[in-house]
Amino acid sequence: MTIQIDDAGVGDLLYGAVVGIHRKETAEFHYDVIPVSYFQEPNFRQKLYLKKATEVTLGLLNRMRIEEREGVEICTSFLFDDTRPVLIEQLGPKRVRATAITGEAQDRVEGAYLDEIRNLGYEPISERDEKRAKSFFHMLRWVKKDSSRLKYAKTGWPRLRRYMRVG
């Protein structure tokens, strides 16, 4: 049995990030959210999102009840830079493998993120994966239309200051 761990939304302007875990053989799936506040100052500068990613991942693995010999495939995303060593320490280097997560696991984590941003009232563009810049500017225009939406934006990213005042 193999558990796959992936993230979605880290590079997007809106919302926090979704961390999801998927058991390959049974399609069991759980996810949790790193709140957007971790991608805003002062938390962003301190990279607290890395600690939160570890906390969320460990909580999800506990919820999934990882079995003793079960392997873990974890995404190579920078979001898991602190998580991977913790998993290796807890589970052993033979059980943990950093890799690109694809297929059903990736689709489900991405779907969870899209559901979350739709809950904000935002409708993502259909080709958002292929056209990252277009997606960013679509999200940016949505935020600029109503200043109360700024609270949903990852305002810690330095690049955002090129396009709007964040505070």
Side-chain angles (χ1 to χ4, degrees), residues 139-158:
M139 288 180 174
L140 181 64
R141 282 191 300 278
W142 184 80
V143 169
K144 283 182 162 185
K145 275 186 188 174
D146 181 346
S147 62
S148 70
R149 296 173 178 165
L150 188 60
K151 65 186 175 204
Y152 302 128
K154 293 181 181 84
T155 55
W157 296 123

Side-chain angles (χ1 to χ4, degrees), residues 59-135:
L60 289 167
L61 285 171
N62 186 46
R63 192 166 152 198
M64 176 100 42
R65 293 188 180 99
I66 185 169
E67 296 177 13
E68 203 168 304
R69 290 190 198 96
E70 199 162 19
V72 172
E73 296 176 349
I74 184 167
C75 178
T76 56
S77 167
F78 73 89
L79 185 68
F80 298 118
D81 284 354
D82 286 0
T83 308
R84 284 185 294 273
V86 170
L87 290 180
I88 289 168
E89 182 181 312
Q90 289 187 6
L91 303 175
K94 291 181 180 177
R95 288 180 62 193
V96 179
R97 183 169 71 96
T99 188
I101 304 296
T102 59
E104 186 178 358
Q106 180 187 31
D107 293 345
R108 293 188 74 184
V109 176
E110 181 72 14
Y113 172 72
L114 293 175
D115 288 346
E116 294 290 343
I117 61 175
R118 284 185 180 109
N119 288 338
L120 301 177
Y122 173 78
E123 186 56 41
I125 61 172
S126 58
E127 67 273 6
R128 65 182 289 284
D129 284 333
E130 298 83 31
K131 299 183 178 175
R132 286 276 171 202
K134 186 175 181 181
S135 180

Side-chain angles (χ1 to χ4, degrees), residues 4 10 12 22 28 46 48 61 83 97 116-117 124 134:
Q4 298 172 299
V10 175
D12 283 337
H22 176 261
E28 183 180 354
Q46 297 171 28
L48 295 181
L61 285 171
T83 308
R97 183 169 71 96
E116 294 290 343
I117 61 175
K134 186 175 181 181

